[in-house]
């Protein structure tokens, strides 16, 4: 399903964005190349079973949704000692060579139609650089979206033996924009030898926004990339969180939580490629659905031919609070090396009736009892979140939604 | 018969399955598929007009549909060219009807099935046997006691003539319409042979009925159709076995299986397939299950170059249930893409899927499954369990389950594990005096035991023998 490039999206648009940001030629060229490639690129793969496509990305109408020259955001960046946390424009000036070398090295702009669109048009984003040996725990990026469309690109580069914990929050700002909106978020993490990156993201966009995010990490020898992906907001979210374990003994954990209500749609994907020896992956996702919300989950554990001594685990659990919701899941194992221990499991169910009975028999009103059990359901995911502030925020929002 | 038994004992399993016969036929269709060919086949069979019309409609659908190509990791079907296939061969037997006395068969056909142990099995354990050679069923027999109860077991072409109303109502209408997929359409156009089983209300057929399919000619396609109708509260166990020797040209097997499980009825369908390693095995098998009915699929997919086979069950009535037990073994150059599909369309329906796969010497196994729980299928439950065993690093094993859940009061669980054959287990067995091969053989036998214990003993033995042969790498 190849999409048409919107009529008013031209090279002139891209030049205007590059001019206004005074960008170097290489970045301008990268944008133009991405724009040109869009003609031949397809929408991201969506799971299809006979007679249906699980998410209809084809319905995104960029003639309506994209307003590239009027992008507005309010982004707050909090840095920690020894770490550079810079808006993109500043980063390009300050680290021209590093930026040129690393930009697009983990996510190829031509991955699909939506990544190319994002690279061609992005106006916000952050560069995070962690020099060798630096340990940082409190890097925060808070982005408020204040326009019809917003395209963001974040690049994280760690040097050897460094560590960093990054917390990203995406929300809608106060600026009134009527109608449907589009937020695009690309995050690349390049983790050098023996470095550690935890990247947490909490998305609470308003429910008229279409949200597409692709986060991908490249893990070198002995490095660890841990992702936490929390999705509560948006009309439709397509989220891809991926790690390539390219270095021996590298590790990754992808932890996901989503809570859909009304007619929200979440297409959540967690993927890991084991390409080197002694690599470990753990994929844990828990989601709750209410009203007519829908979730689509794909988890991929791909063990390459040379990935000797692999350990790979995946669990996905969905809780359905309403009869009108729908949960679709497809956990996939692709195994090309026999020296592998791999497993995956997925379950869908409702709040356990016996648990509910137990609590109500202890005089807890049924609604409260249900809410307690839903909160308890998220505990295994919350436990994985090292940043207290993030954990508490997510907990608070889950609990607020339950009491709506 | 005693000489047959002796013969069986003396012949090793490889000889049982790999022998070839001179091609013999009284009628052979032209290669390829045209309206003319279909008219010729239909006329040769003396079919009623409605069946010819269905064939021609299916042909149109086949021509309109694209080849399946866009499934992740699916077998390569580029070699499958229908224009290169001989769609129909009628073996050279005396009469149009299949014979019911074994000794009336021409010697070489009899000999073929003797080697496969069919009369042996019939005598010992079966209610009835059908044997198909190329495109036609050549032998069909049902024990009298079942016939008296109104059980019908005959070849499908005969059923079109003798039980026209039943067939017309059920044949590729509600269960597997030709529009289901390209190969179902192909099957609808050129099907030939196969079995028809009808079990009346409240009747239990205590011993299994069996059909055996044998492809002998080079470059042919086999397209047998199996239609099983089990009325209310009846019970039957149907077993099918298949084999074909290896030729340099590819063979195509594209069967169709339709099972109607009435209210409270119970049907078990067991297959052990051992196609030659140049056969493309592209089947459509489906069961429709009414309230409180039970369907059981047990399949062993052993041979073939590529298999795409996903037996499916539609649970239509409340309380209906389904069990799938499958095993796939892929050796060198083989791609076994198999799994199960279950549609829960009514409340309180249950399904379990247990899938085991073994890959070795570059073989590729794939579990591709779909569990669909429709809105309204409250209090349904399903559990899917896949285990894969890999022998070496040239082999591949993928698990791709799909779960579509539209109902909240359900219990859905999927689990899959992949592991290599345990070095410690091998070491333990070796330390007890077994050599490496025997130790591995024993581990594999243990791994597939949950499957073999569900099969009648003859089939369990056959499955184990086939696994042994695969392990030795001496087959094909």
């Amino acid at each position: 399903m190849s999409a048409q490039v919107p009529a008013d999206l031209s090279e002139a648009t891209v030049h205007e964005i590059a001019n206004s940001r005074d960008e170097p030629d290489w970045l301008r060229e990268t944008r133009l190349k991405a724009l040109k490639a869009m003609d031949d690129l397809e929408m991201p793969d969506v799971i299809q079973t006979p007679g249906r496509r699980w998410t209809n990305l084809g319905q995104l109408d960029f003639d309506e949704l994209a307003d590239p020259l009027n992008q507005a955001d309010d982004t707050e960046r909090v840095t920690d000692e020894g770490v550079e946390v810079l808006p993109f424009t500043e980063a390009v000036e300050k680290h021209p060579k590093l930026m040129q070398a690393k930009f697009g090295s983990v996510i190829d702009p031509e991955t699909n139609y939506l990544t190319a669109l994002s690279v061609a048009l992005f106006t916000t984003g952050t560069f995070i650089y962690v020099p060798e040996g630096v340990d940082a725990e409190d890097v925060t990026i808070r982005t408020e979206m204040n326009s019809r469309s917003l395209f963001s690109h974040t690049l994280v580069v760690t040097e050897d033996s460094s560590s960093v914990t990054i917390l990203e929050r995406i929300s809608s700002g106060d600026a009134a924009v009527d109608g449907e909106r589009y937020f695009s978020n690309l995050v690349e993490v390049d983790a050098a030898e023996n470095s550690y990156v935890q990247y947490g993201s909490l998305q609470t966009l308003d429910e008229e926004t279409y949200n597409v995010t692709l986060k991908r990490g490249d893990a070198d020898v002995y490095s660890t990339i841990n992702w936490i992906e929390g999705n509560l907001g948006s009309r439709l979210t397509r989220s891809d969180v991926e790690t390539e374990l390219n270095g021996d003994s590298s590790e990754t954990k992808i932890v996901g939580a989503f809570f859909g209500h009304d007619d929200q749609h979440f297409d959540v994907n967690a993927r890991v490629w084991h390409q080197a020896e002694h690599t470990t992956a753990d994929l844990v996702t828990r989601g709750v659905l209410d009203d007519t919300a829908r979730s689509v989950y794909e988890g991929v554990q791909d063990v390459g031919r040379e990935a000797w001594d692999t350990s790979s685990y995946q669990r996905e659990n969905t809780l359905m609070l309403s009869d009108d919701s729908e949960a679709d899941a497809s956990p996939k194992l692709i195994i090309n090396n026999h020296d592998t221990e791999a497993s995956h499991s997925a379950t869908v169910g409702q709040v356990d009736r016996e648990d509910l009975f137990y609590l109500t028999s202890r005089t807890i009103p049924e609604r409260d009892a249900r809410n307690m059990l839903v909160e308890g359901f998220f505990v295994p995911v919350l436990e994985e979140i090292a940043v207290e502030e993030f954990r508490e925020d997510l907990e608070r929002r889950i609990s607020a939604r339950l009491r709506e | 018969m005693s000489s047959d038994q002796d013969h069986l004992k003396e012949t090793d399993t490889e000889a049982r399955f790999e022998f070839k016969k001179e091609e013999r036929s009284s009628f052979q269709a032209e290669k390829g598929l045209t309206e003319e060919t279909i008219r010729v086949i239909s006329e040769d069979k003396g079919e009623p007009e409605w069946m010819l019309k269905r064939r021609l409609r299916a042909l149109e659908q086949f021509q309109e549909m694209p080849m399946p190509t866009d499934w992740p990791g699916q077998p390569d079907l580029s070699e499958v060219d229908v224009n290169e296939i001989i769609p129909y061969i009628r073996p050279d037997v005396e009469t149009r009807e299949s014979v019911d006395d074994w000794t009336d068969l021409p010697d070489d056909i009899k000999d073929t099935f003797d080697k496969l142990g069919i009369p042996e099995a019939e005598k010992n354990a079966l209610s009835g046997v059908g044997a198909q050679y190329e495109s036609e069923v050549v032998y069909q027999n049902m024990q009298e006691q079942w016939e008296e109860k109104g059980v019908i077991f005959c070849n499908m072409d005969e059923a079109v003539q003798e039980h026209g109303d039943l067939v017309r109502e059920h044949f590729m209408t509600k269960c597997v319409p030709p529009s289901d997929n390209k190969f179902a359409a192909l099957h609808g156009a050129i099907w030939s042979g196969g079995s028809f089983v009808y079990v009346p209300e409240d009747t239990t057929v205590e011993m299994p009925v069996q059909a055996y399919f044998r492809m002998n000619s080079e470059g042919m396609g086999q397209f047998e159709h199996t239609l099983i109708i089990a009325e209310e509260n009846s019970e039957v166990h149907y077993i099918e076995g298949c084999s074909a020797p290896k030729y340099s040209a590819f063979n195509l097997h594209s069967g169709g299986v339709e099972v109607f499980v009435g209210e409270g009825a119970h049907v078990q369908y067991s297959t052990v397939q051992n196609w030659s390693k140049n056969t493309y095995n592209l089947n459509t098998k489906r069961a429709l299950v009414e309230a409180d009915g039970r369907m059981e699929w047990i399949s062993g997919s052993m041979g073939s170059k590529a298999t795409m086979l996903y037996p499916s069950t539609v649970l239509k009535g409340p309380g209906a249930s389904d069990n799938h037990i499958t095993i796939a073994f892929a050796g060198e150059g083989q791609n076994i893409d198999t799994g199960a599909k279950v549609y829960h369309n009514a409340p309180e329906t249950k399904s379990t899927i247990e899938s085991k796969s073994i890959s070795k010497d570059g073989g590729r196994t794939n579990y591709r499954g779909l569990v669909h729980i429709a809105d309204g299928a409250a209090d349904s439950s399903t559990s899917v369990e896949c285990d894969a065993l890999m022998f070496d690093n040239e082999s591949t094993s993928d698990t791709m389950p799909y779960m579509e859940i539209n109902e909240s009061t359900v219990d859905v669980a999927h689990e899959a594990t992949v592991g290599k054959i345990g070095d410690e287990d091998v070491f333990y067995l070796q330390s007890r005096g077994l050599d490496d091969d025997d130790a591995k053989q024993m581990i594999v036998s243990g791994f597939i035991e949950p499957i073999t214990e569900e099969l009648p003993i003859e089939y369990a033995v056959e499955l184990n023998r086939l696994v042994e042969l695969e392990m030795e790498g001496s087959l094909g």
Side-chain angles (χ1 to χ4, degrees):
Chain A
M1 183 181 44
S2 181
Q4 281 293 308
V5 179
D8 59 350
L9 216 176
S10 64
E11 288 193 8
T13 318
V14 170
H15 280 297
E16 204 168 330
I17 291 171
N19 289 341
S20 68
R21 294 157 58 88
D22 203 12
E23 281 176 356
D25 287 345
W26 70 263
L27 186 51
R28 183 186 300 258
E29 289 308 316
T30 305
R31 288 178 183 275
L32 288 169
K33 193 162 169 277
L35 178 77
K36 198 153 178 255
M38 280 171 64
D39 284 331
D40 300 320
L41 289 171
E42 302 280 320
M43 281 287 174
D45 277 342
V46 164
I47 297 179
Q48 290 183 64
T49 46
R52 71 189 297 210
R53 192 181 284 273
W54 288 12
T55 299
N56 192 1
L57 291 173
Q59 73 184 356
L60 296 171
D61 176 4
F62 289 107
D63 277 335
E64 284 293 317
L65 287 173
D67 188 5
L69 296 176
N70 292 300
Q71 298 186 52
D73 65 296
D74 188 1
T75 297
E76 186 191 346
R77 297 176 181 87
V78 180
T79 184
D80 202 348
E81 207 175 325
V83 182
E84 290 200 66
V85 180
L86 302 169
F88 235 91
T89 37
E90 274 180 46
V92 173
E93 264 174 47
K94 204 168 166 191
H95 300 282
K97 277 190 186 147
L98 189 62
M99 288 294 280
Q100 186 171 0
K102 298 291 186 185
F103 185 90
S105 67
V106 182
I107 298 178
D108 179 352
E110 295 176 26
T111 302
N112 58 53
Y113 181 87
L114 298 178
T115 56
L117 179 75
S118 201
V119 167
L121 301 181
F122 79 95
T123 59
T124 188
T126 304
F127 174 61
I128 297 167
Y129 175 64
V130 192
E132 193 171 336
V134 169
D135 292 323
E137 279 178 8
D138 294 312
V139 174
T140 312
I141 310 165
R142 289 193 183 83
T143 300
E144 273 186 6
M145 173 178 177
N146 288 317
S147 49
R148 175 160 311 279
S149 57
L150 182 65
F151 299 87
S152 172
H153 199 112
T154 291
L155 178 58
V156 180
V157 176
T158 62
E159 297 284 351
D160 291 358
S161 305
S162 64
S163 79
V164 63
T165 296
I166 301 159
L167 173 56
E168 169 196 85
R169 282 169 209 232
I170 308 286
S171 58
S172 300
D174 295 331
V177 182
D178 287 336
E180 295 179 330
R181 293 180 285 284
Y182 181 78
F183 181 73
S184 168
N185 188 19
L186 301 186
V187 177
E188 302 184 82
V189 171
D190 185 320
E193 194 172 319
N194 197 38
S195 68
Y196 171 92
V197 178
Q198 168 152 300
Y199 194 102
S201 183
L202 181 57
Q203 178 271 115
T204 56
L205 289 160
D206 73 31
E207 287 169 34
E208 287 202 85
T209 306
Y210 294 88
N211 171 47
V212 174
T213 179
L214 169 58
K215 300 183 171 81
R216 187 182 291 162
D218 175 346
D220 203 344
V221 178
Y222 295 125
S223 71
T224 300
I225 300 177
N226 290 343
W227 301 98
I228 299 153
E229 177 81 353
N231 280 300
L232 291 168
S234 84
R235 163 82 197 75
L236 173 148
T237 282
R238 160 73 185 214
S239 151
D240 295 87
V241 180
E242 306 175 337
T243 306
E244 289 179 33
L245 296 169
N246 289 323
D248 288 355
S249 303
S250 56
E251 293 180 23
T252 190
K253 195 178 261 186
I254 301 175
V255 176
F258 60 86
F259 191 160
H261 70 160
D262 297 336
D263 62 346
Q264 284 185 300
H265 181 118
F266 293 107
D267 184 332
V268 175
N269 306 276
R271 300 188 186 91
V272 58
W273 289 271
H274 296 263
Q275 311 276 25
E277 297 182 20
H278 323 298
T279 55
T280 304
D282 197 4
L283 279 48
V284 185
T285 300
R286 291 205 159 198
V288 172
L289 296 174
D290 205 350
D291 306 322
T292 57
R294 174 147 180 253
S295 71
V296 175
Y297 169 84
E298 183 186 66
V300 177
Q301 298 152 275
D302 188 315
V303 178
R305 201 157 294 264
E306 298 310 315
W308 295 92
D309 188 24
T310 298
S311 301
S312 192
Y313 306 96
Q314 178 183 177
R315 281 158 289 159
E316 200 266 341
N317 308 91
T318 314
L319 197 58
M320 294 171 87
L321 301 180
S322 151
D323 246 6
D324 299 320
S325 53
E326 179 178 349
D328 300 332
S330 180
K332 294 178 179 166
L333 277 167
I334 297 167
I335 311 291
N336 288 297
N337 183 299
H338 75 295
D339 191 9
T340 297
E341 255 186 57
S343 72
H344 68 201
S345 67
T347 64
V348 179
Q350 58 174 353
V351 172
D352 191 277
R353 275 175 229 187
E354 276 172 41
D355 293 346
L356 203 58
F357 175 76
Y358 176 83
L359 290 171
T360 49
S361 74
R362 294 292 180 279
T363 72
I364 296 167
E366 184 162 333
R367 175 84 185 189
D368 292 351
R370 187 200 75 163
N371 292 351
M372 284 169 74
L373 292 170
V374 173
E375 283 165 353
F377 176 76
F378 277 113
V379 165
V381 164
L382 293 166
E383 276 174 351
E384 300 292 340
I385 305 176
V387 184
E388 201 177 329
E389 180 199 345
F390 185 3
R391 189 172 60 239
E392 284 171 1
D393 197 1
L394 184 58
E395 255 181 312
R396 204 162 40 240
R397 284 169 193 275
I398 288 167
S399 137
R401 176 158 289 181
L402 282 166
R403 281 160 186 81
E404 265 169 21
Chain B
M1 276 309 193
S2 67
S3 65
D4 292 332
Q5 284 177 29
D6 292 340
H7 184 77
L8 257 181
K9 277 177 199 152
E10 284 161 15
T11 320
D12 69 6
T13 315
E14 179 176 4
R16 279 181 66 203
F17 296 109
E18 277 295 303
F19 60 90
K20 293 177 195 176
K21 290 282 173 186
E22 288 297 307
E23 292 177 21
R24 57 177 302 152
S25 62
S26 62
F27 173 76
Q28 179 166 339
E30 294 290 310
K31 272 188 187 178
L33 188 59
T34 62
E35 192 180 318
E36 189 50 35
T37 307
I38 284 166
R39 285 183 187 278
V40 168
I41 293 173
S42 186
E43 195 180 321
D44 187 60
K45 290 174 176 295
E47 280 178 354
E49 183 68 16
W50 63 264
M51 182 52 88
L52 175 63
K53 278 189 179 154
R54 279 191 199 177
R55 287 181 183 276
L56 294 174
R57 173 78 190 111
L59 176 67
E60 273 173 40
Q61 288 169 312
F62 171 72
Q63 282 158 347
E64 282 160 16
M65 273 187 258
M67 288 285 272
T69 51
D70 53 357
W71 294 11
Q74 76 160 69
D76 177 13
L77 301 180
S78 57
E79 194 189 22
V80 179
D81 179 358
V82 174
N83 295 322
E84 287 301 314
I85 284 180
I86 303 159
Y88 177 69
I89 298 173
R90 185 171 76 216
D92 176 23
V93 285
E94 299 282 318
T95 59
R96 287 284 319 153
E97 282 80 44
S98 40
V99 301
D100 61 4
D101 185 339
W102 199 253
T103 51
D104 288 347
L105 279 174
D107 285 345
D108 59 347
I109 292 182
K110 187 154 56 99
D111 184 39
T112 299
F113 286 105
D114 279 349
K115 277 192 182 164
L116 294 166
I118 303 302
E120 175 81 356
E122 181 186 9
K123 203 172 59 186
N124 295 336
L126 300 167
S127 304
V129 163
Q132 174 158 348
Y133 198 76
E134 317 295 24
S135 301
E136 295 285 10
V137 175
V138 291
Y139 170 81
Q140 190 97 34
N141 190 27
M142 180 87 200
Q143 290 188 8
E144 236 168 65
Q145 49 170 323
W146 309 115
E147 260 171 28
E148 280 165 11
K149 290 185 177 173
V151 178
I152 303 169
F153 177 46
C154 65
N155 81 56
M156 200 60 223
D157 292 283
E158 202 177 313
V160 171
Q161 311 286 350
E162 306 279 321
H163 310 284
D165 291 346
L166 269 176
V167 176
R168 192 169 181 172
E169 186 191 336
H170 294 91
F171 185 91
M172 296 194 88
T173 50
K174 296 170 258 192
C175 195
V176 179
S179 58
D180 189 77
N181 65 71
K182 192 170 179 76
F183 290 93
L186 175 68
H187 174 86
I190 54 171
W191 76 273
S192 183
S195 311
F196 176 71
V197 180
Y198 176 83
V199 187
E201 259 181 67
D202 301 316
T203 306
T204 300
V205 184
E206 282 137 16
M207 296 153 94
V209 292
Q210 185 195 43
Y212 209 95
F213 302 98
R214 174 82 185 167
M215 258 198 280
N216 202 50
S217 297
E218 180 163 359
M220 87 162 290
Q222 195 173 48
F223 307 95
E224 84 286 351
H225 193 90
T226 303
L227 176 56
I228 299 173
I229 302 169
E231 300 284 13
E232 260 175 61
N233 300 314
S234 67
E235 194 173 329
V236 66
H237 182 182
Y238 179 86
I239 304 176
E240 118 196 315
C242 323
S243 69
K246 186 178 170 124
Y247 291 101
S248 52
F250 77 99
N251 282 73
L252 173 63
H253 175 251
S254 187
V257 174
E258 301 184 278
V259 184
F260 292 84
V261 184
E263 260 185 60
H266 176 197
V267 176
Q268 183 175 336
Y269 192 105
S270 306
T271 326
V272 176
Q273 302 200 335
N274 180 39
W275 298 109
S276 70
K277 288 182 184 172
N278 64 333
T279 298
Y280 286 85
N281 186 34
L282 311 166
N283 289 314
T284 309
K285 298 184 174 183
R286 190 167 303 142
L288 302 184
V289 187
E290 304 295 340
D292 298 315
R294 182 148 71 99
M295 180 68 205
E296 285 181 89
W297 297 100
I298 297 168
S299 18
S301 295
M302 307 297 296
S304 84
K305 177 169 190 177
T307 286
M308 288 176 81
L309 172 59
Y310 325 96
S312 51
T313 300
V314 183
L315 299 169
K316 291 175 68 183
S321 67
D322 170 64
N323 298 71
H324 271 89
I325 296 178
T326 70
I327 176 164
F329 195 134
E332 193 180 346
Q334 291 182 281
N335 189 346
I336 310 280
D337 194 282
T338 186
K341 283 199 281 186
V342 186
Y343 296 86
H344 291 256
N345 288 347
E348 291 164 50
T349 49
K350 279 189 176 53
S351 65
T352 60
I353 297 168
E354 201 178 332
S355 164
K356 303 237 176 202
S357 71
I358 302 164
S359 51
K360 177 173 176 286
D361 299 331
R364 187 181 176 112
T365 59
N366 194 356
Y367 172 83
R368 200 186 295 278
L370 170 68
V371 173
H372 177 92
I373 298 191
D375 194 5
D379 300 310
S380 290
S381 68
T382 177
S383 87
V384 182
E385 228 184 289
C386 306
D387 297 312
L389 191 62
M390 293 173 76
F391 268 80
D392 52 60
N393 206 32
E394 276 64 57
S395 306
T396 306
S397 177
D398 300 347
T399 309
M400 301 193 174
Y402 296 88
M403 283 165 273
E404 301 181 325
I405 317 298
N406 291 304
E407 175 62 49
S408 70
T409 57
V410 294
D411 185 2
V412 176
H414 170 91
E415 265 179 66
T417 60
V418 177
K420 61 172 174 170
I421 196 156
D423 290 340
E424 282 161 40
D425 298 337
V426 175
F427 176 77
Y428 174 83
L429 291 168
Q430 283 175 331
S431 74
R432 293 293 178 278
L434 290 170
D435 68 26
D436 187 62
D437 285 349
D438 288 345
K440 285 181 176 166
Q441 167 67 36
M442 191 170 274
I443 291 165
V444 170
S445 297
F447 178 73
I448 63 168
E449 197 179 290
I451 312 280
T452 48
E453 71 189 10
E454 292 294 325
L455 288 167
I457 186 71
E458 296 80 6
Y459 274 78
V461 169
E462 177 175 331
L463 189 65
N464 270 321
R465 274 183 178 172
L466 289 171
V467 169
E468 263 170 55
L469 283 169
E470 291 288 345
M471 301 276 295
E472 288 163 11
S474 57
L475 192 70

